[in-house]
Amino acid sequence: MKKSLLVSLFAASGIAIASSAFAQLPAKMLPLAAEVVVLGATVDSVDVKKRIVVLKDDKGNLAQMNVAKSVNDLEKVKKGDVFLVEHAQAVAVGLTAAAKDAKPGVSGVRSVTIAGKGSAKPFEETTDTVYATVKISTIDQKTRIVTFTMPNGEKQKVKVDAAVLGLEKFKAGDDVMIEFVDDTAIGFVTPKK
């Protein structure tokens, strides 16, 4: 199994993060669906003074990237390093019904940005977490497919993993807590030889 950029960056920098939960949330949110996209390019040149990195894709195309001052340790980036962007989105549901007085909509938002300092290579990660109450539109217990109606009226269909217990307790029309996580990590890594 391939290690993600997030895992290797946290392991390399020794950062531990404790997440805090909002009081109205269920004690445990279980993942329903997740999608991860990883993009990469090779560093062609670095101008630390101007904070410019030129990247080359697998077809030889060059692109210039201006690096924000919030990204630490740019001087550690060298030609031949790999620039990675990992973007993950996930949906999780609490296996308890939302409170009777809970209105559909967002009940909390948390954003966290981490910029590594003193790590092997520079990186930055931004995580946005949105908590919302949504309604179950349809539920198929056999296929474990659930369709939620989002606060904006949009429908979201997800396959509930078999590890999520208690699905049989829910029916169409129930309000449940949903957690949306949007995580983007950018960083540089030295390719393995």
Side-chain angles (χ1 to χ4, degrees), residues 9-57:
L9 288 175
F10 286 128
S13 62
I15 294 176
I17 299 174
S19 66
S20 62
F22 290 87
Q24 71 271 24
L25 295 180
K28 189 172 187 180
M29 299 293 278
L30 297 170
L32 287 181
E35 178 183 358
V36 178
V37 176
V38 179
L39 304 170
T42 303
V43 174
D44 190 65
S45 66
V46 180
D47 185 333
V48 176
K49 211 175 227 185
K50 293 181 181 176
R51 301 194 64 81
I52 295 174
V53 175
V54 177
L55 302 170
K56 185 188 299 186
D57 68 12

Side-chain angles (χ1 to χ4, degrees), residues 2-17:
K2 183 178 161 188
K3 264 190 176 181
S4 76
L5 173 64
L6 300 175
V7 171
S8 52
L9 288 175
F10 286 128
S13 62
I15 294 176
I17 299 174

